[in-house]
Amino acid sequence: MADNEEMQQAPEDCGGSCSSCGVSGCGSRKPDEPPAKLEPNSRSSIKKAIAVVSGKGGVGKSLVTSLLAAEFTKQGKKVAILDADVTGPSIPKAFGATAHPVADEDGINPVVTPSGVKIMSVNLMLPDEDVPVAWRGPVVTNVLMQFWQEVNWGDVDILLLDMPPGTSDVFLTIFQMLPIDGIVTVSAPQELVAAIVGKAVNLAHNLKVPVIGLVENMAYFKCDSCGEEHHIFGEPQGAVVAERYGIEAVATLPIDPEAARLVDAGRVEDYDTEGALAPIVEQIERA
């Protein structure tokens, strides 16, 4: 009996990340009880948390996250980005952020861009930006929980989470343990990509997280000479995918060398989307 009782106790070093915990027999919560939502630290007031997701990599989640942050900043909103793609972080490069975060007795202070966007990313804590982060899933998820709870985010109207690709451990942990208000999903104009994006959308539905909108990136290339739009990766699929999964807002972004140039220069905030993201921005404001 003593052994059984001991098995029902949570380990002393339990961090509450039950979705990524490998301890068998832990009785810290009932099997049918969802984990409690974590709150940020006392120096943080986050009004809305939006995750940018996709079922696969390479479709431009970090670009969309950065452009949404820039759009909201231009509207006078207080914006922050939690770079949840721990092993492939892109946010610091896009914003030209190179400073290291500084901690005080209350927590970690995020790096702030010239326009006021607050950023926290593992890459800001490394000695060099090309140092690999070879961490297993439980370590990654614990780091993200620390970013949420121990960073002094301050007053934030919208916190954007740049998610890693896929629907595995990090996705589950964040959506089960953080108070996410909705997701924006990113796709490219290929049926294969659209089908994989659907996995993320369906999982969000299963976890009862609202799907705010879909951004179809790399939808077309506009010729500098003739002005004609060329569909490099095939006909746009955004509207069809949105209808298939009941997504209300749809936005399209082109293949634009200017966007790539500004991201490489750390000046993503200078890119003009010409209102392309307006439907998503409006839907996020209503979420």
Side-chain angles (χ1 to χ4, degrees):
M1 177 67 73
D3 290 341
N4 290 337
E5 290 178 353
E6 185 176 348
M7 286 287 287
Q8 293 302 313
Q9 300 299 317
E12 293 182 0
D13 60 348
C14 175
S17 300
C18 296
S19 67
S20 60
C21 179
V23 178
S24 61
C26 175
S28 60
R29 78 167 193 264
K30 298 177 182 178
D32 58 348
E33 179 185 359
K37 299 290 185 180
L38 299 181
E39 295 296 328
N41 73 9
S42 59
R43 288 179 59 182
S44 302
S45 175
I46 300 170
K47 295 180 181 178
K48 194 172 295 185
I50 305 295
V52 180
V53 310
S54 181
K56 72 181 302 297
V59 295
K61 291 183 301 298
S62 297
L63 175 64
V64 171
T65 302
S66 302
L67 293 177
L68 284 172
E71 290 292 321
F72 282 116
T73 301
K74 292 171 185 175
Q75 294 183 5
K77 298 286 195 304
K78 297 176 181 177
V79 184
I81 300 177
L82 192 163
D83 190 353
D85 194 355
V86 171
T87 59
S90 303
I91 295 298
K93 175 66 175 178
F95 285 87
T98 57
H100 294 295
V102 177
D104 58 29
E105 65 275 8
D106 294 313
I108 306 168
N109 297 309
V111 172
V112 183
T113 72
S115 68
V117 178
K118 298 175 181 178
I119 296 174
M120 179 51 62
S121 172
V122 165
N123 240 35
L124 296 172
M125 308 175 79
L126 301 176
D128 296 296
E129 65 177 8
D130 58 354
V131 172
V133 179
W135 295 342
R136 296 188 185 276
V139 177
V140 172
T141 53
N142 284 335
V143 166
L144 294 177
M145 295 305 100
Q146 286 184 295
F147 280 179
W148 177 262
Q149 289 190 296
E150 298 180 19
V151 170
N152 301 320
W153 293 108
D155 293 327
V156 174
D157 295 315
I158 298 172
L159 183 140
L160 299 166
L161 293 93
D162 183 23
M163 296 287 290
T167 54
S168 58
D169 197 52
V170 171
F171 192 106
L172 288 171
T173 300
I174 286 180
F175 283 86
Q176 288 179 333
M177 301 192 70
L178 302 189
I180 303 298
D181 295 287
I183 72 168
V184 172
T185 184
V186 183
S187 72
Q190 291 175 289
E191 180 60 29
L192 172 63
V193 175
I196 296 174
V197 168
K199 295 179 182 293
V201 171
N202 285 329
L203 183 54
H205 286 318
N206 292 341
L207 296 173
K208 296 181 172 56
V209 177
V211 180
I212 290 174
L214 180 147
V215 178
E216 187 171 34
N217 192 29
M218 300 178 284
Y220 61 90
F221 171 76
K222 190 172 184 178
C223 178
D224 295 336
S225 300
C226 67
E228 184 178 351
E229 294 183 1
H230 300 275
H231 300 140
I232 306 298
F233 296 113
E235 292 294 322
Q237 302 277 335
V240 175
V241 173
E243 183 177 2
R244 182 188 306 167
Y245 297 107
I247 302 171
E248 293 187 30
V250 181
T252 59
L253 292 174
I255 300 171
D256 190 349
E258 178 67 4
R261 185 185 70 81
L262 289 173
V263 167
D264 287 344
R267 296 169 47 207
V268 69
E269 294 160 293
D270 293 341
Y271 183 68
D272 185 3
T273 63
E274 299 180 350
L277 291 174
I280 306 297
V281 169
E282 293 171 4
Q283 195 73 5
I284 290 174
E285 290 176 334
R286 290 195 294 267

